[in-house]
Amino acid sequence: MELTQEQAAVVDAAAHGVRRIVVEAGAGAGKTSTIVAAAKAKRRQRGLLTVFNRMMAEETRPRLVGTGCTASTLHSVAWRSAVAEPFKRSGGARLNVMLPARDAAEAVGIRGPVTISQELGETSRNAVGDLLKDWVTRFCHSSSDVISSQHFPAATLREFLTPDLAKKADEDPKWMSMLTRAYAGALAPHAARLWGLMSQPDGDFPTTHDTYLKLYVMSRPSVGCDYVMLDEAQDANPIMLQFMQLAEQQGAQTIYVGDSYQQMYSWRGAVDALRQIDADARLRLTQSFRFGPAVADVANLVLGGLRHSDFRIVGAGRPSRVVETIDAPNAVICRKNATAIAMALEAREAGCRVGLCMNPKELLREVDALERFQANGRTDARRFRRFASFEEMQESVENGDAPDLKILLDLIAEHNYDGTRSILSEIAVGKTPEEIERSKVQTVFLTGHASKGLQFQHVLLGDDFKGVAKLESAPAAVRAEEFNILYVAVTRAQSTLCLGNSEAAGDLRALMQQAAAAAPALSAA
């Protein structure tokens, strides 16, 4: 493969041992090919490419054969260490047992509901268990050595607020902050106790893979590599950065690769390493081989006109086009799950062979939980704990809360529970490229988040992407991430892109008109 000048510059910097390199790689810009080329240029050195999941590792590993570099998740690196040995006993039984929220709470002395805020009233034992479990998870993803109130999962607490209190939290951030501090202060000893049980090497208490990874990095291991590369660095957990910094302290070259404009997970604690690192060399890959100039032009309108960035991408792939209507898209990419589900069901009714890019088991579990809730009048399901009854949940949904849940309830009302399971089993095809390919559907419906890492010949954008006006009062970080999701959705298209009728699509059309009007003036000048 012949490298572009930009790719060659990255390979050259890696080969010459530049200590800390950041590579900002645009959508479809040959990021993996560049990583492999860099590893081949350093074939006499021992390297590690850390990736986000096992599928990515398995896809990349064969391309690295003979380079001295291996592709692996950080969890797999930790699993091969001595720290993980105690967790492998009895076939890793501790890791294969789900820890129910109730058991987590009881294990640390919570025997029933607790009252921390008079305004909230009682918080159930199950809700406390969920808070504690998420607390430990946030700590495991952090770079801290001691669990504390700074790792308290405020987003989880927000889940358990009634609709009225959730509205108050949105309108009064100070009130939510005070509530968070109260819960963090009251439950901190219990969180520390739960972490102690989960991290005990010789214990049998249920634990997670995040636990031994945390213990591994805390042990300050010898990384044993000449260079370490971090893929998808725009959505790194702090513990990943800690591992990279540890490698650097031991003399390894570190290379961070990703796209800041594809960051979509800051809401769950991910950080953009590309912007945090003080790099010795900061390089860009801007030529996209996925699509041609027409799609690139729209992507650049998102980057420049909405994100106000100077990063631009060049459409170096096959010719592409942007159209106003599209009859047979391969993919319909939406902002929200609710829109994807609703549009998939509508297309199914019209006779289209559709696929929903969601985990079928997760959807069916939600239907099962709804059935139990309606039958028993109470529920252990985390999503429904804030409701005192099934009827209260129905009322909240009818008032606009949880639109995806409304779709499920409407389906159940029309087709009953078994009929709903049948429909969802038919259309939910999974999330991986292989699962989508095997499904042989005409059109797959998915969210911007689910579309990351995928590409389709013909793409239609859903009608629920927010525009500038609706996001004007949102915090800057929220606006940026919303437009990042739009950028990801736009750049999944290989040949044809239809913008749809969302507010964001209207903003893009206005920017396209401005660009078209400016073009004659520039040529005349």
Side-chain angles (χ1 to χ4, degrees), residues 17-318:
V18 177
R19 300 310 301 167
R20 195 184 302 123
I21 303 171
V22 165
V23 182
E24 186 83 23
K31 175 186 66 172
T32 303
S33 297
T34 307
I35 287 171
V36 171
K40 288 180 178 178
K42 298 171 71 67
R43 67 177 66 246
R44 294 182 180 176
Q45 297 182 8
R46 184 179 177 189
L48 171 66
L49 168 63
T50 56
V51 296
F52 264 73
N53 55 52
R54 184 183 299 175
M55 183 180 72
M56 293 171 66
E58 290 174 350
E59 286 178 355
T60 310
R61 204 170 285 138
R63 300 177 64 179
L64 292 170
V65 171
T67 66
C69 180
T70 184
S72 179
T73 64
L74 197 51
H75 284 90
S76 293
V77 173
W79 184 249
R80 295 190 291 268
S81 73
V83 171
E85 286 302 316
F87 295 91
K88 298 179 184 179
R89 292 172 189 157
S90 302
R94 295 177 66 187
L95 297 163
N96 297 320
V97 177
M98 186 181 73
L99 176 60
R102 176 191 180 101
D103 292 355
E106 287 188 346
V108 297
I110 305 292
R111 308 295 181 191
V114 300
T115 301
I116 295 172
S117 162
Q118 294 299 322
E119 192 166 4
L120 261 64
E122 288 186 343
T123 301
S124 72
R125 174 174 42 194
N126 285 335
V128 172
D130 281 326
L131 282 166
L132 296 175
K133 288 172 61 180
D134 287 359
W135 199 331
V136 170
T137 298
R138 281 180 58 85
F139 166 64
C140 285
H141 292 170
S142 76
S143 58
S144 306
D145 285 349
V146 179
I147 190 169
S148 70
S149 59
Q150 77 181 66
H151 308 112
F152 179 80
T156 305
L157 178 61
R158 175 71 169 69
E159 285 180 27
F160 300 141
L161 300 181
T162 63
D164 286 344
L165 288 176
K167 183 179 179 181
K168 181 174 182 177
D170 291 337
E171 295 173 348
D172 188 353
K174 287 185 178 179
W175 174 82
M176 186 62 196
S177 179
M178 289 175 58
L179 187 68
T180 298
R181 287 197 299 272
Y183 270 78
L187 296 177
H190 301 286
R193 205 167 301 142
L194 182 62
W195 165 245
L197 290 169
M198 293 176 68
S199 61
Q200 183 61 41
D202 298 322
D204 56 6
F205 192 80
T207 192
T208 68
H209 293 276
D210 285 340
T211 299
Y212 65 75
L213 170 57
K214 182 66 174 176
L215 293 172
Y216 169 71
V217 176
M218 285 172 60
S219 73
R220 307 298 189 265
S222 172
V223 175
C225 291
D226 298 303
Y227 65 95
V228 181
M229 297 185 279
L230 175 62
D231 192 17
E232 299 291 347
Q234 78 279 353
D235 273 314
N237 287 326
I239 195 170
M240 294 178 177
L241 295 189
Q242 186 180 14
F243 178 80
M244 294 291 286
Q245 289 160 3
L246 182 65
E248 185 178 318
Q249 290 165 9
Q250 295 174 12
Q253 178 189 42
T254 52
I255 304 172
Y256 301 80
V257 187
D259 184 353
S260 294
Y261 304 104
Q262 295 190 59
Q263 184 189 30
M264 300 189 293
Y265 293 102
S266 63
W267 54 272
R268 69 182 187 192
V271 296
D272 183 2
L274 303 171
R275 303 208 169 175
Q276 290 198 3
I277 299 302
D278 182 16
D280 296 309
R282 190 171 289 273
L283 304 167
R284 285 180 168 181
L285 299 178
T286 63
Q287 294 187 56
S288 178
F289 306 101
R290 180 178 297 156
F291 43 73
V295 171
D297 287 346
V298 177
N300 287 330
L301 290 176
V302 178
L303 292 171
L306 302 181
R307 281 290 271 113
H308 305 297
S309 162
D310 66 349
F311 189 86
R312 296 292 183 272
I313 198 157
V314 177
R318 293 181 179 178

Side-chain angles (χ1 to χ4, degrees), residues 203-457:
D204 56 6
F205 192 80
T207 192
T208 68
H209 293 276
D210 285 340
T211 299
Y212 65 75
L213 170 57
K214 182 66 174 176
L215 293 172
Y216 169 71
V217 176
M218 285 172 60
S219 73
R220 307 298 189 265
S222 172
V223 175
C225 291
D226 298 303
Y227 65 95
V228 181
M229 297 185 279
L230 175 62
D231 192 17
E232 299 291 347
Q234 78 279 353
D235 273 314
N237 287 326
I239 195 170
M240 294 178 177
L241 295 189
Q242 186 180 14
F243 178 80
M244 294 291 286
Q245 289 160 3
L246 182 65
E248 185 178 318
Q249 290 165 9
Q250 295 174 12
Q253 178 189 42
T254 52
I255 304 172
Y256 301 80
V257 187
D259 184 353
S260 294
Y261 304 104
Q262 295 190 59
Q263 184 189 30
M264 300 189 293
Y265 293 102
S266 63
W267 54 272
R268 69 182 187 192
V271 296
D272 183 2
L274 303 171
R275 303 208 169 175
Q276 290 198 3
I277 299 302
D278 182 16
D280 296 309
R282 190 171 289 273
L283 304 167
R284 285 180 168 181
L285 299 178
T286 63
Q287 294 187 56
S288 178
F289 306 101
R290 180 178 297 156
F291 43 73
V295 171
D297 287 346
V298 177
N300 287 330
L301 290 176
V302 178
L303 292 171
L306 302 181
R307 281 290 271 113
H308 305 297
S309 162
D310 66 349
F311 189 86
R312 296 292 183 272
I313 198 157
V314 177
R318 293 181 179 178
S320 58
R321 61 196 183 115
V322 178
V323 299
E324 282 300 310
T325 60
I326 186 169
D327 294 327
N330 301 124
V332 178
I333 304 178
C334 307
R335 173 63 184 89
K336 298 286 187 180
N337 280 324
T339 311
I341 297 170
M343 293 186 73
L345 291 171
E346 184 179 344
R348 177 182 178 273
E349 285 294 312
C352 179
R353 194 168 69 254
V354 305
L356 192 59
C357 188
M358 291 183 182
N359 185 320
K361 291 182 179 179
E362 291 177 2
L363 279 174
L364 295 178
R365 275 198 295 269
E366 187 139 302
V367 175
D368 293 344
L370 284 169
E371 186 174 28
R372 289 193 300 271
F373 193 9
Q374 185 171 21
N376 302 330
R378 53 187 173 78
T379 181
D380 287 337
R382 171 170 171 165
R383 188 175 186 190
F384 311 133
R385 283 191 191 136
R386 61 191 170 121
F387 302 111
S389 67
F390 190 82
E391 291 70 27
E392 182 183 303
M393 181 196 68
Q394 286 179 306
E395 181 181 351
S396 177
V397 167
E398 288 300 323
N399 289 331
D401 189 33
D404 59 325
L405 195 51
K406 176 171 172 49
I407 293 169
L408 283 183
L409 291 173
D410 288 347
L411 260 185
I412 291 164
E414 183 175 355
H415 299 282
N416 69 47
Y417 283 101
D418 286 340
T420 298
R421 291 187 187 95
S422 178
I423 292 170
L424 295 178
S425 296
E426 171 196 328
I427 67 174
V429 299
K431 296 183 176 183
T432 68
E434 293 77 15
E435 289 170 328
I436 295 170
E437 179 66 26
R438 283 198 303 268
S439 71
K440 303 297 182 184
V441 297
Q442 291 172 272
T443 305
V444 64
F445 293 79
L446 66 169
T447 64
H449 284 90
S451 74
K452 182 74 170 69
L454 303 176
Q455 57 187 17
F456 305 93
Q457 286 295 324

